[in-house]
Amino acid sequence: MRFVANLGNWDESIMLIPGRPVRPPGSKHYTDQFPYWYEGRPIYQPFSDAAQAASRKHPFTLMPAP
C-alpha cells in the first residue's frame, strides 16, 4: 500500500493498493488498482464530508442489530 498525506489539503491525499492479497486471485478486483500503481497515477482519497459526498458512488450504511 502506498499512502501520501497532503497535510495542507487532506482531500488531495493519495492511497493506492496495487494488489489485493485479501481477495482471491481470480477476483475481478484483485488487481483493479495495479494500472494506477504501475503508471504512477494517483487515486485521491476524500477526507472531508463534502469530498466524500462528491465522490460517493454506492452508499453503504451500517445499522446496529436489533
Side-chain angles (χ1 to χ4, degrees), residues 5-38:
N6 182 342
L7 302 180
N9 183 353
W10 283 99
D11 292 326
E12 290 182 358
S13 295
I14 299 168
M15 185 168 71
L16 187 62
I17 304 171
R20 302 262 177 124
V22 296
R23 299 205 188 267
S27 168
K28 66 179 182 177
H29 298 295
Y30 186 75
T31 59
D32 57 356
Q33 292 184 12
F34 180 79
Y36 291 91
W37 173 81
Y38 186 76

Side-chain angles (χ1 to χ4, degrees), residues 33-65:
Q33 292 184 12
F34 180 79
Y36 291 91
W37 173 81
Y38 186 76
E39 296 167 10
R41 293 184 289 147
I43 296 176
Y44 295 103
Q45 296 299 301
F47 280 90
S48 67
D49 291 339
Q52 287 183 23
S55 68
R56 187 174 298 127
K57 294 178 184 170
H58 305 284
F60 183 72
T61 305
L62 296 174
M63 303 293 290

